[in-house]
C-alpha cells in the first residue's frame, strides 16, 4: 500500500538547518524545564502511600483538601482519577505509621461530614525502593543507548551510529521535557513507554539508514545530500503508514484506556511523533554533517586468489 507516489526526490535536507535549530530549541527548553521544574515523580519513585476513593457524586477537591488538612494531612496531593467521582490521594511516607493505619485515618476524615466514600485501593512504596527504581531506570536507558550505538556502528558506519544515538537521546529528552513542562505524573509505566519509544524510533531509523547505505552503493551519480533525500523519499510511505497506524492505536488508548495507562499512552504518543521527525531530520542530518560519503559505505574489496600474480607468467 502506498499513500503517495513520488516521481522525484523530496528535498528533505534543504530544511535541515531550520529543523536542527528547532530540535536544539526543544532540547534546551526541555533540559531547562527538567532543571527547574523537574519531573512530577509518581509514587513508584518517591515512595509513600496512594489511596483511591470513590464518591457517589462529583467530588469537591477543595473540600477534600480541607478535610485532610484538618486531619493533619496537609501535604496530601489530591486529584481526580479518571472521572469526577474518583479521587486519588498521595501521601508522603510517615515514619512509624503503617499504610493501613494511614488509610483508616484518611477515610475517617473524608467521611466526617457524613458522605458515602468508598476506598477502592491503597498502595504503599518505601522511599528506599523508590530511590532504587530511579537509579535503575536511568541506568536502563543509558545502557540501551550505549548498546544501540555499538550495534549501529558495527552494522552500518560509526557516523550513522552517532546520528542514531543522538536522535534517540533527542526523543527521550524532549519527551521528558514535555512531562516536566506539563507536570504529568512520571511513574514506572511512563519509564516503560520511554524504553518502547527508544525501540520504535530505532527501528524507524534503521530502515532509513539501510536505504541510505543501499543507495550510496547503487547510485553512481549524486551528492550525499541528494542520495539521502532520495532514500528518505523512498521510505516516506513506510514511515507515514507505520506512524499513522501506531498513533491511531495510541489515541484509542489515550482517550479510552483509563487513568491507569494514561501516562503510558501519553509518553508513547509524544515519543512516536517526535521519533518519526527525528528519524528523518536528526539522524540523517547529523550523519550528513559529519561527512558521510560513498567511500565510507562501500563494501571492502576481497582480493581473489592469484590476483597479484602476473597473468603472462
Amino acid at each position: 500500500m502506498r499513500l503517495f507516489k513520488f516521481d522525484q526526490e523530496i528535498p528533505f535536507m534543504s530544511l535541515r538547518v531550520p529543523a536542527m535549530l528547532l530540535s536544539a530549541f526543544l532540547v534546551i527548553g526541555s533540559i531547562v524545564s527538567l532543571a527547574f521544574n523537574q519531573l512530577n515523580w509518581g509514587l513508584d519513585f518517591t515512595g509513600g502511600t496512594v489511596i483511591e476513593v470513590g464518591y457517589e457524586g462529583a467530588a469537591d477537591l477543595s473540600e477534600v483538601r480541607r478535610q485532610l488538612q484538618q486531619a493533619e494531612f496537609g501535604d496530601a496531593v489530591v486529584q481526580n482519577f479518571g472521572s469526577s467521582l474518583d479521587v486519588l490521594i498521595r501521601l508522603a511516607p510517615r515514619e512509624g505509621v503503617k499504610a493501613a493505619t494511614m488509610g483508616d485515618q484518611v477515610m475517617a476524615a473524608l467521611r466526617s461530614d457524613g458522605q458515602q466514600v468508598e476506598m477502592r485501593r491503597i498502595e504503599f512504596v518505601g522511599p528506599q525502593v523508590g530511590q532504587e527504581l530511579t537509579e535503575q531506570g536511568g541506568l536502563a536507558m543509558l545502557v540501551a543507548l550505549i548498546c544501540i550505538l555499538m550495534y549501529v556502528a558495527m552494522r552500518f558506519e560509526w557516523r550513522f551510529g552517532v546520528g542514531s544515538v543522538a536522535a534517540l537521546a533527542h526523543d527521550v529528552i524532549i519527551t521528558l521535557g514535555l512531562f516536566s513542562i506539563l507536570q504529568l505524573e512520571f511513574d514506572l509505566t511512563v519509564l516503560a513507554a520511554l524504553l518502547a519509544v527508544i525501540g520504535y524510533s530505532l527501528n524507524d531509523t534503521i530502515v532509513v539508514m539501510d536505504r541510505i547505505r543501499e543507495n550510496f552503493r547503487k547510485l553512481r551519480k549524486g551528492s550525499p545530500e541528494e542520495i539521502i533525500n532520495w532514500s528518505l523519499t523512498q521510505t516516506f510511505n513506510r514511515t507515514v503508514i507505520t506512524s499513522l497506524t501506531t498513533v491511531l492505536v495510541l489515541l484509542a488508548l489515550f482517550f479510552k484506556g483509563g487513568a491507569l495507562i494514561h501516562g503510558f499512552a501519553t509518553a508513547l504518543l509524544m515519543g512516536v511523533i517526535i521519533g518519526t521527525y527525528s528519524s528523518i531530520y536528526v539522524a540523517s542530518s547529523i550523519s550528513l554533517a559529519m561527512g558521510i560519503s560513498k567511500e565510507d559505505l562501500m563494501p571492502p574489496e576481497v582480493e581473489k586468489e592469484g590476483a597479484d600474480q602476473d597473468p603472462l607468467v
Side-chain angles (χ1 to χ4, degrees), residues 38-50 90-93 123-141 176 179 184-195 263-264 267:
Q38 300 185 348
L39 289 170
N40 179 20
W41 296 104
L43 183 70
D44 298 328
F45 297 103
T46 61
T49 302
V50 62
R90 291 191 296 162
L91 302 169
E123 298 177 359
F124 173 76
V125 176
Q128 183 63 32
V129 175
Q131 183 180 358
E132 291 178 0
L133 288 174
T134 304
E135 295 174 354
Q136 292 174 359
L139 183 61
M141 284 195 290
L176 288 174
F179 267 76
L184 301 175
E185 183 175 341
F186 189 93
D187 55 18
L188 280 179
T189 63
V190 178
L191 176 61
L194 281 178
L195 294 174
F264 177 83

Side-chain angles (χ1 to χ4, degrees), residues 203-217:
N203 177 68
D204 208 22
T205 303
I206 290 295
V207 171
V208 173
M209 297 298 183
D210 193 51
R211 183 56 60 91
I212 291 173
R213 180 180 63 174
E214 178 183 339
N215 283 335
F216 262 113
R217 294 177 176 179

Side-chain angles (χ1 to χ4, degrees), residues 200 240-258 261-262 264-270 272-273:
Y200 177 90
V240 170
I241 292 173
T242 303
S243 300
L244 183 60
T245 53
T246 306
V247 166
L248 289 175
V249 173
L250 292 175
L251 285 174
L253 290 177
F254 181 83
F255 289 108
K256 297 295 184 181
I261 62 171
H262 191 267
F264 177 83
T266 303
L268 272 179
L269 192 58
M270 294 176 179
V272 167
I273 295 172

Side-chain angles (χ1 to χ4, degrees), residues 51-66:
I51 303 171
E52 182 186 348
V53 298
Y55 284 78
E56 293 182 339
D60 185 350
L61 297 185
S62 59
E63 178 63 19
V64 172
R65 295 187 183 98
R66 186 192 65 78

